[in-house]
């Protein structure tokens, strides 16, 4: 059954809505993650599969560290954005050299030729990655249908119960990638 399309800004799965939801911890807390990062001398990795919440968690880490007064430089990399701009790289190295913290979301996208100097020249480095990164993992994000249901509840409110079966089907189809489930729901609500 097709829905009547909704405008992009009214779509419950628009990025401004999904991006506003805080990370849902299945275990631990943001405070525990921040303490683990500090205990490791601000050299740590956050791991997990695609669409498991690593970027969301790193944004919350960024906000908390900035609130505590730490200078932070944030770099976002993805399959479609694999290169660090010269300006971003210079800023990251300056931040690192001055005792600030460099956060790299999607560190596995860094070319090997850059990974080594960034790791050496940024003594305070926290990254997200799908793979091993030569930094100790302090948290591994794991998607689950329970987390997905909690997110669907927040986005759809009273309509959530009706969409749970579709959410479970999409979750299985997308291999547990919650970001892709949201994209499928966005298209569904857009009438595509």
């Amino acid at each position: 059954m097709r829905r009547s399309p909704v405008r992009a800004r009214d779509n419950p799965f628009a990025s401004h809505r999904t991006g506003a939801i805080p990370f849902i911890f299945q275990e631990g807390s943001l405070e525990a993650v921040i303490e683990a990062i500090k205990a490791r001398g601000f050299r740590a990795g956050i791991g997990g599969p695609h669409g498991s919440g690593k970027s969301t968690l790193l944004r919350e880490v960024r906000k908390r560290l900035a609130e505590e007064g730490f200078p932070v430089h944030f770099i976002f990399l993805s399959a479609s954005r694999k290169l660090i701009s010269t300006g971003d790289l210079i800023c990251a190295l300056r931040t690192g050299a001055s005792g600030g913290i460099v956060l790299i979301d999607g560190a596995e996208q860094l070319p090997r030729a850059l990974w080594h100097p960034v790791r050496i020249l940024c003594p305070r480095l926290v990254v997200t990655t799908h793979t091993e990164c030569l930094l100790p993992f302090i948290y591994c994000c794991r998607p689950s249908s329970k987390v997905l249901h909690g997110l669907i509840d927040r986005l759809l409110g009273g309509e959530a119960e009706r969409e749970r079966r579709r959410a479970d089907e999409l979750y299985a189809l997308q291999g547990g990638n919650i970001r892709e489930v949201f994209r499928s729901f966005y298209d569904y609500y857009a009438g595509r």
Side-chain angles (χ1 to χ4, degrees), residues 130-165:
H130 306 287
T131 60
E132 292 296 318
C133 66
L134 303 177
L135 294 174
F137 278 175
I138 50 96
Y139 195 85
C140 285
C141 299
R142 300 200 193 315
S144 72
S145 58
K146 180 180 177 184
V147 168
L148 175 61
H149 289 177
L151 294 167
I152 296 291
D153 289 349
R154 289 182 185 197
L155 292 166
L156 296 178
E159 207 175 316
E161 187 66 38
R162 203 171 59 229
E163 297 291 7
R164 281 216 174 115
R165 193 165 110 215

Side-chain angles (χ1 to χ4, degrees), residues 5 55 93 109 130 136 167 179:
S55 297
L93 296 178
Q109 302 298 332
H130 306 287
R179 184 185 322 108

Side-chain angles (χ1 to χ4, degrees), residues 49-52 143 170-171 174-183:
H50 292 281
S52 61
L170 289 169
Y171 182 77
Q174 299 295 347
N177 185 327
I178 292 174
R179 184 185 322 108
E180 291 301 321
V181 171
F182 283 177
R183 285 184 181 146

